[in-house]
Amino acid sequence: QVQLMESGGGLVQAGGSLRLSCAASGSIFRLNTMGWYRQAPGKQRDLVALINSGGSTNYADSVKGRFTISRDNAKNTVYLQMNSLKPEDTAVYYCTYIVAITNYNYWGQGTQVTVSS
């Protein structure tokens, strides 16, 4: 089992910045992918950004150039730096940990990000 602890959500004005963190603990596999999805009210959960244990990244088109994902493998922690935030970025952000080969997803409890106009 893998447990994920998220932090860093909150309320910010449009154009502002927030940094999300997610620490993984438990049965950590060396090869994995960590990242973030988000879900706005009444919408499906969508990819925001992923980063694998080798450092390769994948971003949703809507956040490219504004969000940066990074990780500290020694701390089993992934970060999401969100700049130039827009009201449409408002959502619950979920951390995910994906086990290599099996592609099994673990999920955090979610953290609310609200961007006011």
Side-chain angles (χ1 to χ4, degrees):
Q1 291 290 325
V2 175
Q3 296 78 43
L4 301 173
M5 181 64 69
E6 300 150 331
S7 61
L11 173 64
V12 65
Q13 288 188 331
S17 298
L18 283 174
R19 189 191 194 210
L20 305 182
S21 300
C22 174
S25 61
S27 301
I28 303 299
F29 295 87
R30 185 174 61 87
L31 298 179
N32 61 72
T33 295
M34 295 185 71
W36 300 89
Y37 282 69
R38 66 187 181 187
Q39 188 168 19
K43 296 189 176 181
Q44 67 181 17
R45 189 175 297 188
D46 290 327
L47 169 71
V48 177
L50 297 172
I51 183 168
N52 68 19
S53 45
S56 296
T57 59
N58 182 28
Y59 292 93
D61 288 342
S62 60
V63 307
K64 285 180 180 177
R66 299 188 298 122
F67 292 9
T68 302
I69 191 168
S70 61
R71 63 187 288 164
D72 184 334
N73 288 334
K75 296 181 179 179
N76 296 315
T77 299
V78 64
Y79 306 95
L80 185 68
Q81 178 66 44
M82 304 185 293
N83 298 328
S84 302
L85 282 160
K86 305 175 181 180
E88 51 263 44
D89 294 318
T90 295
V92 177
Y93 284 67
Y94 293 93
C95 177
T96 188
Y97 175 99
I98 306 169
V99 181
I101 301 175
T102 65
N103 288 326
Y104 183 83
N105 280 64
Y106 290 91
W107 294 97
Q109 79 282 3
T111 185
Q112 178 70 45
V113 171
T114 302
V115 184
S116 62
S117 57

